[in-house]
Each structure stands twice: as C-alpha cells, then as structure tokens.
Amino acid sequence: MKSLQTALVHSDYTPPEGFAALTSPIHHASTVLYENVAALRARVPGMDRSSYSYGLEGTPTTYELEARLAEIEGGVHCLLTPSGLGAIAVVDMALLQNGDEILIPDNVYGPSRELGDWLQTKFSITPRYYDPMIGAGISDLIRSNTRLIWTEAPGSVSMEVSDVPAICQVAHSRGVLVAMDNTWSAGLAFHPFEHGVDISVQALTKYQSGGSDVLMGAVITRDMALTQRLALAHHHLGFGVSKEDAYLVLRSLPTLKMRFDAHDVAARRVAAWLKERPEIAKVLHPAFPDCPGHEHWKRDFSGAGGVFSVLFNPRYSEAQTDRLIDALRYFKIGYSWGGAMSLCLPYRIQDMRTRWEGAGQLLRFNIGLEDPADLIADMQQAMESALG
Ligand SMILES: *Cc1c(COP(=O)(O)O)cnc(C)c1O
C-alpha cells in the first residue's frame, strides 16, 4: 500500500480506452519521460520532431501546430515562438553576428526596425534600410558582409508591395538569405517558398489566432541545415510556447481561410467607399491600382485580408483625424489585427521612415467581421461629426 502522499503523486487512474474526439488534446509538459537511458542518450538537441525531449522544445500539441502551419505555407519545418516579434528575433539572432549587415525594407513592421537598431548598438550588426520598391536594384546595396535581407510585402502600414521574387533572385545569386515577414497574407495569399524566400515569419497573433487573445509567432522553412541553425538560436533563447495557446490557434485554423476571405471582401468594400470620399487623398490597399507595387500584388498574391491604410487630404490636421477616430463607434483603437472587431490607428508615418514623400494624415484600418455596410455608416457619421 502506498501512502496518500505517494498516491497523490502516482495516480492509478487510467483513461478510458476507445475515447475519440474531433479535437486535439492539450499536452502540457515540462518534463518529458524517456523509456530508458539509451533513449535519453540518443536524443540530440535541435530540430528533431520524431521524438520528444523537454516541454520547452514541444509536446504533441505544439508539434501538431508546427506541422499544420508549415503545410499552409508550403514549408517543411516550423518553430513556434512566444510572439511574432520573437520569431523575427530568432531569425536575426540565429543568422547574424558582430560585423554583419542586414538589409531591412523602410516600410518594415516598426518593432522589427527597432530590433535592427538595437542589434546595432548591442552587437555591432548594421541594419540598412532600403526602399521597398527597390526590386532587383537591391544588388547595389549588397556588400561582402551582408548576411540577410528582410522583406515584408506589403509593409503593414504604408502598404507598398515589394518585388519579392526579384529580391530573392538577386540575393541568392550573391549568397545572401532572404527572410520574409509574411503576416499580412497569413501564409494564405502569398506562398513565400514558391517565390524564393528562405524563411517565412508569421505573427500567429493575427489571423491564425483570430481571437485577439493569443500572442505567438512562427518561423517556417524548407531547408533542414538552415532550420538547424534557427532551432539552435530558438533553443538558446528558451523560446517555448504555452500549450493552451497552441491549442487555441489549432482551434482557429479550420476557419482561417474563411475568416481571411471575409475580412478581404469587407475591407475592399470599405476601401472602395473611402476612395470616393473627398476627404481621402489616397487609399493604400494593394488591390487598388494606385498602391505602390500593385502590379506585384496582382502577379504574386491571391488575396488581401482586412488591413489597409488611407491618406487624408493634407488640409486635415492631425487633431481633426484624431477626433474622427474618437468618433468611430465600431472601430476600436488598438494595435494588432486579425480579430473579429474592426480597429483604426493613426500613424505618424514620417517619423517611422528613412524616407516618406506622402502628405496628409495616415490612418490604418483592420476591417473585422462586422457587416461592412455598418462600418461604412460608422465612418460616414464620424467624418461628418469630426471633419464636418
Ligand atoms: C503583429 C506583427 C508582428 C509581431 O507580432 P506579435 O505577436 O505582436 O509580436 C510582426 N510583424 C507584423 C507584420 C505584425 O503585424
């Protein structure tokens, strides 16, 4: 007979056999058990998903999510990170060292740029910011110590769509790796590996979660040797993810494309309405012909999701467009996107860029899953009350 205390640790409970469900179980674990010492000794650190080593590296729940995310983008391997920014950091930390240069598009996700600047002060890695419309002209920026080129198409605030295949072609001819922040397309509307990208990064926080309740990121690859380098940085940084959160993302995946497409349809309707308004100088939406890089979007992408921006006529001040945002009822004020609720954010774009030639206040929208007619009516009342 074991003592109660031991019974509290070693339960006799066995789950019923033959239990089957449509859902994936949530496997929590820090310690993972090995069958014997030989199995323990055989395990080598790195990207091995044929067995388990420790909760930080994953459990069946996270392995399943990794496999399904890789499949969506046409990748093979996937590492999960505690945030989208964490995924970007893994790539930088894995591939760069003191004295290296990275090329980053001028329209990159803001915290990614801040990370680049921090790498410079902390590790003497030099970020150089390039015109997102540079295309094959990136050749002139590549030096002998350029190790990595980041792309992001479109840039999620100003929406220029880079010529990613042209950048990849030049990069590969010079032996430089290309990483892409592919969050905007959710891995659905742009298939990075078909266009030459080596590493795709997703902020699962956005569409893959869809619930505005999870922070998670992913680094997706095809090449095993490259994946091993990334896995090593991931391991050294101790980047595990919550298995509950992984389950939440798994739960949202079946509706990912339906939600993305619904965001897309609604966003194009709202954007088309805005385009006709005299208050708006320009709609920055890749599906609209006057968006820089529209031709690349048309050639390389199969959809657009819910995120776009507008530039107001320069006669409106920041105070006026701030009032407009405050007057919106359905559009909430907050970062991120991919959830059911519409969001609106002002950006001081000229402060975020090395070069910006646009004029007028920039507002970015995440069009949620509301009826677009209600969103348009909301926008109209806010324009009338704030800009009158
Ligand atoms: C949100 C976002 C990220 C970062 O994701 P977090 O999970 O919030 O860290 C990175 N890139 C893009 C384009 C994003 O929109």
Side-chain angles (χ1 to χ4, degrees):
M1 257 276 291
K2 59 193 168 195
S3 76
L4 173 61
Q5 182 52 45
T6 300
L8 286 171
V9 179
H10 292 267
S11 164
D12 285 336
Y13 174 81
T14 47
E17 285 208 5
F19 174 76
L22 298 175
T23 50
S24 314
I26 307 177
H27 288 276
H28 283 288
S30 50
T31 299
V32 171
L33 301 179
Y34 295 83
E35 205 160 336
N36 51 42
V37 178
L40 175 80
R41 294 200 196 285
R43 176 84 195 182
V44 292
M47 193 69 193
D48 174 8
R49 296 300 186 248
S50 64
S51 62
Y52 304 91
S53 60
Y54 186 55
L56 202 53
E57 310 290 334
T59 71
T61 310
T62 54
Y63 279 20
E64 179 182 350
L65 181 57
E66 287 174 347
R68 291 175 64 180
L69 292 168
E71 186 183 353
I72 290 170
E73 287 198 67
V76 178
H77 310 289
C78 173
L79 293 162
L80 298 174
T81 56
S83 67
L85 185 57
I88 296 166
V90 161
V91 175
D92 284 344
M93 294 303 214
L95 303 180
L96 302 170
Q97 65 185 49
N98 187 307
D100 288 346
E101 280 199 358
I102 33 171
L103 296 173
I104 298 177
D106 199 18
N107 61 351
V108 78
Y109 174 68
S112 186
R113 185 184 191 111
E114 290 162 19
L115 172 61
D117 293 340
W118 183 74
L119 291 173
Q120 180 156 43
T121 49
K122 195 120 176 91
F123 302 110
S124 300
I125 292 160
T126 309
R128 291 164 66 217
Y129 299 96
Y130 68 86
D131 176 351
M133 300 312 295
I134 198 166
I138 199 145
S139 182
D140 298 338
L141 302 182
I142 296 175
R143 298 179 183 169
S144 58
N145 60 340
T146 306
R147 291 285 166 267
L148 176 66
I149 299 175
W150 274 102
T151 58
E152 186 179 326
S156 61
V157 175
S158 47
M159 300 292 155
E160 304 92 335
V161 186
S162 298
D163 188 344
V164 176
I167 292 172
C168 290
Q169 201 171 14
V170 170
H172 291 158
S173 74
R174 308 282 292 275
V176 179
L177 289 166
V178 178
M180 177 167 186
D181 184 333
N182 196 25
T183 301
W184 186 85
S185 89
L188 297 172
F190 184 85
H191 293 284
F193 303 107
E194 286 171 18
H195 298 285
V197 170
D198 299 293
I199 303 161
S200 178
V201 159
Q202 286 289 333
L204 308 174
T205 307
K206 310 294 165 53
Y207 293 115
Q208 289 85 347
S209 145
S212 309
D213 52 0
V214 170
L215 287 155
M216 202 180 289
V219 181
I220 297 162
T221 43
R222 275 187 171 174
D223 179 77
M224 190 53 172
L226 175 60
T227 307
Q228 288 291 12
R229 293 172 69 192
L230 295 163
L232 200 63
H234 184 266
H235 172 76
H236 288 317
L237 291 166
F239 271 4
V241 301
S242 148
K243 312 311 181 259
E244 302 270 353
D245 286 352
Y247 175 79
L248 288 175
V249 178
L250 281 169
R251 196 176 193 273
S252 294
L253 285 187
T255 59
L256 174 62
K257 188 168 182 330
M258 294 176 77
R259 288 182 285 109
F260 186 84
D261 291 345
H263 287 293
D264 187 359
V265 169
R268 288 199 222 193
R269 257 186 75 189
V270 176
W273 181 84
L274 284 163
K275 194 171 166 50
E276 300 307 315
R277 294 290 304 193
E279 296 89 345
I280 303 298
K282 197 165 182 181
V283 171
L284 302 171
H285 186 302
F288 286 50
D290 54 350
C291 183
H294 165 70
E295 65 279 14
H296 306 138
W297 177 82
K298 221 169 132 181
R299 184 190 65 197
D300 301 334
F301 287 68
S302 61
V307 181
F308 70 94
S309 299
V310 295
L311 285 171
F312 275 75
N313 185 306
R315 75 170 173 272
Y316 298 110
S317 67
E318 182 178 274
Q320 282 178 298
T321 52
D322 283 1
R323 269 206 302 281
L324 180 147
I325 298 172
D326 283 337
L328 289 164
R329 293 176 193 139
Y330 292 129
F331 289 84
K332 305 299 179 190
I333 304 165
Y335 290 103
S336 199
W337 75 66
M341 248 185 239
S342 289
L343 301 170
C344 178
L345 276 178
Y347 281 93
R348 288 178 173 155
I349 182 81
Q350 63 285 356
D351 298 346
M352 299 162 61
R353 299 285 292 263
T354 306
R355 219 167 68 214
W356 176 252
E357 274 148 23
Q361 302 302 316
L362 188 148
L363 268 52
R364 189 186 75 186
F365 300 106
N366 160 54
I367 302 301
L369 297 174
E370 304 93 338
D371 184 331
D374 288 334
L375 297 176
I376 289 168
D378 188 24
M379 198 86 76
Q380 180 157 11
Q381 67 77 25
M383 279 184 173
E384 281 161 12
S385 81
L387 308 179

